[in-house]
């Protein structure tokens, strides 16, 4: 059984042959290695539904990019593939989903751990941010002079003036005095 050939009401540049290729690729990705007719018997119609939702919501390069993203995620995420086949996830929900949501659970957990570590490295124990994208920095893992006074007050020590490369070259210790023997 093959899915019916379709034309897109929104994008006349999508020729039926191109749309059929996408349907065939979705069909192949959904079937994977399954041959049991009870499991994959409705896949051609399902692939046509996914492509119809895709062509309704996207046109041109966006259509092609979303199609590639869906094909990749269906092929790499067995849980997603089975959810689509079992119709736990509708064609429209699949097409509207963000690629991060379509990723395998293991990858989602890994990304969450990276994100948590990223923010943990950029906070002092009291929750004050040291460096971050919202602070307008490059994101390097170092203290920003913007927070020197806040950090010094929080720790109970005296704030110090930041030293510069010119201070180091001239022998200054950052307090306006010449370094050396005292």
């Amino acid at each position: 059984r093959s899915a019916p050939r379709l034309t897109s009401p929104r994008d006349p540049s999508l020729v039926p042959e191109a749309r059929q290729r996408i349907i065939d690729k979705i069909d192949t990705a959904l079937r994977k290695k399954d041959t049991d007719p009870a499991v994959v018997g409705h896949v051609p119609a399902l692939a046509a539904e996914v492509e119809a939702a895709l062509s309704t919501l996207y046109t041109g390069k966006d259509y092609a990019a979303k199609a590639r993203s869906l094909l990749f995620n269906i092929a790499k995420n067995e849980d997603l593939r089975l959810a689509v086949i079992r119709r736990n996830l509708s064609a429209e929900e699949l097409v509207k989903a963000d690629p991060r949501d379509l990723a395998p659970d293991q990858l989602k957990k890994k990304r969450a751990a990276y994100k948590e570590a990223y923010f943990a490295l950029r906070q002092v124990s009291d929750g004050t941010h040291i460096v971050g994208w919202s602070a307008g920095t490059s994101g390097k893992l170092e203290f920003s002079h913007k927070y020197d006074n806040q950090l010094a007050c929080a720790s109970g020590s005296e704030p110090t003036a930041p030293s510069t490369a010119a201070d180091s070259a001239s022998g200054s210790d950052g307090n306006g005095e010449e370094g050396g023997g005292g």
Side-chain angles (χ1 to χ4, degrees), residues 41-143:
H42 66 284
V43 167
L46 184 57
E49 287 177 34
V50 171
E51 194 284 330
L54 186 63
S55 68
T56 300
L57 296 170
Y58 297 95
T59 59
K61 290 181 181 181
D62 293 335
Y63 172 89
K66 187 64 176 186
R68 281 191 305 273
S69 174
L70 289 175
L71 290 167
F72 176 82
N73 283 301
I74 290 169
K76 296 293 182 184
N77 187 346
E78 184 67 13
D79 293 333
L80 174 66
R81 185 181 79 82
L82 291 174
V84 173
I85 288 175
R86 293 176 183 148
R87 296 191 180 264
N88 295 339
L89 186 65
S90 73
E92 190 171 317
E93 290 170 332
L94 174 68
V95 171
K96 286 182 177 179
D98 186 83
R100 290 180 294 252
D101 297 333
L102 301 176
D105 287 336
Q106 182 180 2
L107 183 55
K108 288 179 192 176
K109 289 176 185 174
K110 192 175 186 181
R111 286 176 180 164
Y114 283 144
K115 185 177 181 179
E116 188 175 315
Y118 174 85
F119 286 111
L121 289 173
R122 285 157 179 77
Q123 290 185 352
V124 180
S125 61
D126 67 357
T128 306
H129 286 279
I130 300 170
V131 173
W133 299 113
S134 61
T137 66
S138 65
K140 293 180 182 174
L141 296 178
E142 61 190 12
F143 285 96

